[in-house]
Amino acid sequence: MIYSSGSEWLRAANKRIVLFGMSGLGKTHLSNMLREAGDWFHYSVDYRIGTRYMGEFIADNFKREAMKVPFLRDLLLSDSVYIASNITFDNLAPLSTYLGKPGSPSRGGLPFDDYCLRQNQHRQAEIAALLDTRHFIGRGRDIYNIPNFVCDSGGSICEVVDPEDPKDPVLTALEQDLLMIWIKGSEAHTAELVRRFDRAPKPMYYQPEFLEKAWIAYRVEKGLQEDEVNPDDFIRWTYARALAHRQPRYQAMARRGVTVTAEEVSEINTVTDFNTLIAHAIDRKDS
C-alpha cells in the first residue's frame, strides 16, 4: 500500500484513494463530501465511461429512437435539432438506459446478442476509464492545484478485473497510485439493496460468464424462449445472485488495500472523520 501506517496517511500532503464496493453503500456520497471540502479532486469512473467512452453510443441510440418519430426524423435529417446526453455525476440514467435489459422487445427488452454487445462496450469502457485514473491525478494537481484525489469507481469494477491475479494490469495500476478502500456492506445492507432494486430495477453490467449462465438458468427455470423473457423480471432474478457473485471478488481486491464498513461510512460527517477512519483502517490491517 502507498501508505504504510495510519500516521503516514494523516501526515500525507497528497492523499489519493479509490473507493470500491456495491452501488448504494456510500462511494459517491463520500466522494461528493470530499470534493465539496475544496481540496479533493473527484474522478467519477461512471461519468468518464458515459462521456468519453460511450457518449457516442448513447447519443446514437437517442437518435435511432428519434428517427422513428416522423416529426423528429425530418428535423434530424435537416440538422435542425441537436440530440445529446446530459449525463452528470449524480444522474447516470443515459448510460443505464443505453445498457438496457435483455428480453422481449415488446416489453422494452433487447435481443440477448445486442445486450451482450452493449455489455462488452461497457467492459472495454470501464477498463479504459479505470486506467485513465493516473491521467486525472495529474490533471487535478497540475491544472487545478488540488492536492488530494478520490476515484469513485463503479459497482462493477470487480467484474472487469481478475482479483486473484497479482499481476492484473488494472489493479496493479490503481494500487501503485492510490490507496484502495473497500466499503463493505452487511447482510442487512444487501437485503436492503435487493429490496430497493426490486422496487425499481436498473440496468447493470455483468461478467460475461456469469451473465451467460444466468440467462440460461433463468429461461430453463421459467420455461421461456428468449423473446418471451420479461426484462425486469430477469434482472430482478439475477440481481441478488450478482451481489453474491461480487462479494468474494471485492474481498479479494481488498487484500490490496483496506476495508471500512458501510456502518462506519454512514457515521462520517466531515473530512476529519474520514481521515481518522482511514487511518484506523490502515492500522488495523497491520495489527
Side-chain angles (χ1 to χ4, degrees), residues 152-204:
D152 177 9
S153 73
S156 56
I157 182 174
C158 66
E159 306 283 24
V160 302
V161 300
D162 182 352
E164 300 294 346
D165 181 0
K167 297 182 180 179
D168 180 86
V170 174
L171 294 178
T172 298
L174 290 174
E175 70 175 343
Q176 286 175 347
D177 293 326
L178 307 103
L179 175 65
M180 298 184 63
I181 302 172
W182 178 29
I183 302 178
K184 180 181 180 180
S186 64
E187 290 185 6
H189 286 111
T190 300
E192 175 56 28
L193 291 176
V194 171
R195 284 193 295 270
R196 190 185 308 170
F197 190 87
D198 188 61
R199 290 194 299 269
K202 297 178 181 179
M204 284 182 58

Side-chain angles (χ1 to χ4, degrees), residues 180-184 254 257-261 264 281 284-285:
M180 298 184 63
I181 302 172
W182 178 29
I183 302 178
K184 180 181 180 180
V258 299
T259 300
V260 297
T261 68
E264 290 172 325
R284 71 191 177 201
K285 181 181 179 72

Side-chain angles (χ1 to χ4, degrees), residues 5-7 9-10 258-260 264 273-287:
S5 67
S7 59
W9 160 263
L10 292 173
V258 299
T259 300
V260 297
E264 290 172 325
D273 293 342
F274 175 76
N275 285 333
T276 300
L277 173 61
I278 301 308
H280 289 163
I282 294 171
D283 288 339
R284 71 191 177 201
K285 181 181 179 72
D286 295 331
S287 62

Side-chain angles (χ1 to χ4, degrees), residues 93-109:
L95 176 58
S96 293
T97 299
Y98 176 73
L99 282 178
K101 309 166 188 176
S104 170
S106 66
R107 295 179 175 180

Side-chain angles (χ1 to χ4, degrees), residues 121-138:
Q121 290 169 345
H122 189 282
R123 176 184 181 84
Q124 294 178 32
E126 186 163 4
I127 290 171
L130 287 165
L131 291 175
D132 284 345
T133 302
R134 175 174 288 182
H135 169 68
F136 277 88
I137 292 172

Side-chain angles (χ1 to χ4, degrees), residues 112 116 206-221 234 237-238 241 245:
F112 189 68
C116 289
Y206 303 99
Q207 187 189 46
E209 295 82 0
F210 171 85
L211 176 62
E212 182 71 29
K213 291 178 181 177
W215 183 244
I216 293 171
Y218 173 84
R219 290 186 295 112
V220 168
E221 179 180 309
F234 170 71
W237 184 91
T238 306
R241 293 165 175 80
H245 166 77

Side-chain angles (χ1 to χ4, degrees), residues 21-134:
M22 292 186 294
S23 296
L25 294 184
K27 297 190 302 294
T28 299
H29 168 72
L30 275 182
S31 299
N32 286 337
M33 183 199 72
L34 293 172
R35 183 185 72 236
E36 290 167 4
D39 58 354
W40 284 81
F41 187 96
H42 177 190
Y43 175 55
S44 167
V45 169
D46 282 338
Y47 180 80
R48 180 69 167 169
I49 291 170
T51 52
R52 172 65 175 82
Y53 292 107
M54 294 189 72
E56 187 172 324
F57 295 137
I58 293 168
D60 283 352
N61 193 46
F62 291 162
K63 294 171 186 176
R64 192 174 295 112
E65 293 301 313
M67 286 291 286
K68 298 175 182 178
V69 181
F71 175 73
L72 293 176
R73 181 180 185 276
D74 291 342
L75 291 172
L76 278 173
L77 291 175
S78 62
D79 289 328
S80 300
V81 295
Y82 176 75
I83 296 179
S85 165
N86 189 29
I87 197 168
T88 67
F89 280 16
D90 297 316
N91 179 19
L92 300 169
L95 176 58
S96 293
T97 299
Y98 176 73
L99 282 178
K101 309 166 188 176
S104 170
S106 66
R107 295 179 175 180
L110 291 168
F112 189 68
D113 288 346
D114 291 348
Y115 180 72
C116 289
L117 173 64
R118 297 185 186 192
Q119 289 272 305
N120 187 54
Q121 290 169 345
H122 189 282
R123 176 184 181 84
Q124 294 178 32
E126 186 163 4
I127 290 171
L130 287 165
L131 291 175
D132 284 345
T133 302
R134 175 174 288 182

